Amino acid sequence: KWETSTKLDIGLNYGFLNDKITGELTYYKNNIDGLILNSPLSPSMGVPGNSVAKNVGAMFNQGVEFAVNAHIINKGDFKWSSNFNIATQKNEVTALAEGNADIFGVTQLETANITRVGYSVGSLYAVETRGINPENGRRIFINKAGKEVQYSHSVATGQSRWTYLDGTTAPAITVAADAKIMGNTIPKFYGGWDNNFSYKKFDLNVSLVYAGGFYVYNGTKAGLHDQRFWNNEADILDRWTPDTKTTATWPKVIYGDNVSNGSSFPISNNIEKGDFIKCRNIALGYALPTSLTQKAKISSARIFGQVTNAFMLTKYTGTDPETSSNGNSNLAPGVDKNSIPQARTVSCGLSLTF
């Protein structure tokens, strides 16, 4: 059946100084029932895309939106106008079908997302890690009981690869038994800042966008530290050795190890904050003098150059925190698995009006 929603919007529009400054402030809450999501199916069922749309439950979105527009400078030949906006968002699942059973989101062979009542849709789901053991270079995992468990890919026959720090055998770490929700993939706030400048016949536009309060699973990072003769990132050189045991970033390198760094299953070591500020567009133009255009029977002519996705400020170590391997998927968002970043485009042109 169709989704239904109950919405509440309370808004205030304002203007000051003869509307040199205008804007709006809005509170919203949207309760959605009969939530439609693509529920995963077993590949053996033969359904195209291995999923089918279902009414899976209910959720709500709520937050505050604020916008301000200002004519900052209007003196002679120079003008500057600006608009800024910010929106907050809280997303929470309130009910799921089939007894509120969790819904998992899959990326290739990884299950890095979960939709669970009381949390945001498509939250990141991984096993917590706690660095490496400086005594032996093994990755330390945290099991469901909160105990530290270390892993060694190379052990003698009959010995367990999974042990507690005292060397006693521990149950193997698995996503099903030990993973937990590690963060939301939906930004808690986002917005933009647009500036327009003009001086005589020159015009300049600078547009910034930003988002924060969300996390990305860097699956590319996991693959670049896999020890199955895969191509590695250069920072794997900072791995544990007897000489670097207290300063190393990565565990002891052992051929064939696809567990310690997150290739076998998602680990918290590969979850990063996705906060960013992007310069979405910079455009510079010049309107040719009418004394030149009229001779050619042209009403107006403008030459321009612009750069799209000019630069980005972020601490995310992947290519782009805004991209996702699963496109617009609601069940498996915020996963960067060898994703292609948004392209930087440089263009120029001539605009004519006859």
Side-chain angles (χ1 to χ4, degrees):
K1 64 180 182 180
W2 295 106
E3 289 184 354
T4 60
S5 64
T6 303
K7 296 183 179 180
L8 171 65
D9 291 286
I10 302 174
L12 172 68
N13 294 326
Y14 61 86
F16 301 102
L17 302 176
N18 294 322
D19 285 345
K20 289 184 178 180
I21 300 175
T22 61
E24 63 181 37
L25 176 64
T26 305
Y27 167 82
Y28 70 92
K29 186 170 184 179
N30 186 12
N31 290 294
I32 303 171
D33 194 15
L35 179 66
I36 298 175
L37 288 176
N38 288 323
S39 182
L41 298 174
S42 170
S44 63
M45 297 184 69
V47 176
N50 300 322
S51 66
V52 62
K54 291 183 179 181
N55 295 103
V56 299
M59 71 175 187
F60 71 81
N61 291 303
Q62 72 173 8
V64 176
E65 298 175 340
F66 172 76
V68 58
N69 311 295
H71 298 283
I72 301 174
I73 297 177
N74 187 1
K75 293 185 178 180
D77 294 327
F78 181 66
K79 297 179 177 64
W80 173 23
S81 63
S82 180
N83 61 76
F84 173 83
N85 65 83
I86 183 171
T88 66
Q89 179 172 239
K90 179 182 179 181
N91 171 263
E92 184 177 320
V93 178
T94 55
L96 289 173
E98 301 174 0
N100 287 333
D102 297 335
I103 301 175
F104 296 93
V106 180
T107 302
Q108 299 178 16
L109 299 177
E110 295 176 327
T111 302
N113 300 86
I114 189 172
T115 297
R116 174 178 289 174
V117 172
Y119 295 89
S120 177
V121 170
S123 296
L124 293 179
Y125 191 62
V127 175
E128 182 184 356
T129 58
R130 199 167 290 172
I132 59 176
N133 187 339
E135 298 303 318
N136 52 31
R138 298 180 182 182
R139 169 76 69 191
I140 298 175
F141 299 79
I142 308 301
N143 67 13
K144 61 183 177 181
K147 295 183 178 181
E148 296 183 334
V149 178
Q150 59 188 355
Y151 176 80
S152 176
H153 196 76
S154 178
V155 295
T157 303
Q159 292 184 344
S160 174
R161 292 178 173 179
W162 298 96
T163 59
Y164 295 112
L165 298 192
D166 62 5
T168 59
T169 301
I173 296 289
T174 65
V175 171
D178 304 294
K180 62 181 182 180
I181 292 178
M182 302 298 296
N184 55 289
T185 57
I186 297 176
K188 292 184 178 180
F189 64 90
Y190 54 90
W193 185 23
D194 196 57
N195 290 275
N196 291 286
F197 306 88
S198 64
Y199 179 72
K200 293 185 177 180
K201 293 185 177 298
F202 288 94
D203 61 87
L204 173 67
N205 170 262
V206 180
S207 179
L208 304 176
V209 295
Y210 63 90
F214 71 105
Y215 295 85
V216 179
Y217 185 75
N218 192 344
T220 306
K221 181 178 177 181
L224 288 175
H225 297 91
D226 191 298
Q227 295 306 309
R228 291 177 291 179
F229 270 141
W230 293 13
N231 189 31
N232 276 188
E233 191 172 346
D235 68 353
I236 196 65
L237 295 173
D238 185 20
R239 82 284 186 199
W240 185 94
T241 67
D243 296 328
T244 62
K245 61 182 183 179
T246 59
T247 60
T249 302
W250 296 98
K252 181 180 180 180
V253 171
I254 299 176
Y255 170 67
D257 185 358
N258 68 332
V259 174
S260 295
N261 296 322
S263 285
S264 181
F265 54 80
I267 62 175
S268 63
N269 186 71
N270 297 327
I271 294 176
E272 303 180 29
K273 282 191 172 183
D275 302 19
F276 68 86
I277 299 174
K278 281 188 178 182
C279 182
R280 184 70 79 198
N281 189 70
I282 299 177
L284 177 64
Y286 176 73
L288 297 178
T290 55
S291 58
L292 295 178
T293 58
Q294 289 178 350
K295 291 180 181 179
K297 297 182 179 181
I298 298 173
S299 298
S300 63
R302 176 178 174 269
I303 56 175
F304 65 89
Q306 67 178 20
V307 183
T308 304
N309 294 320
F311 63 84
M312 175 174 62
L313 304 176
T314 183
K315 291 185 178 181
Y316 178 63
T317 63
T319 56
D320 189 343
E322 207 175 9
T323 62
S324 173
S325 298
N326 303 307
N328 295 323
S329 169
N330 290 315
L331 291 179
V335 178
D336 177 8
K337 184 72 171 180
N338 304 323
S339 303
I340 299 174
Q342 297 186 26
R344 178 181 295 119
T345 305
V346 181
S347 58
C348 58
L350 173 65
S351 176
L352 302 176
T353 301
F354 294 91

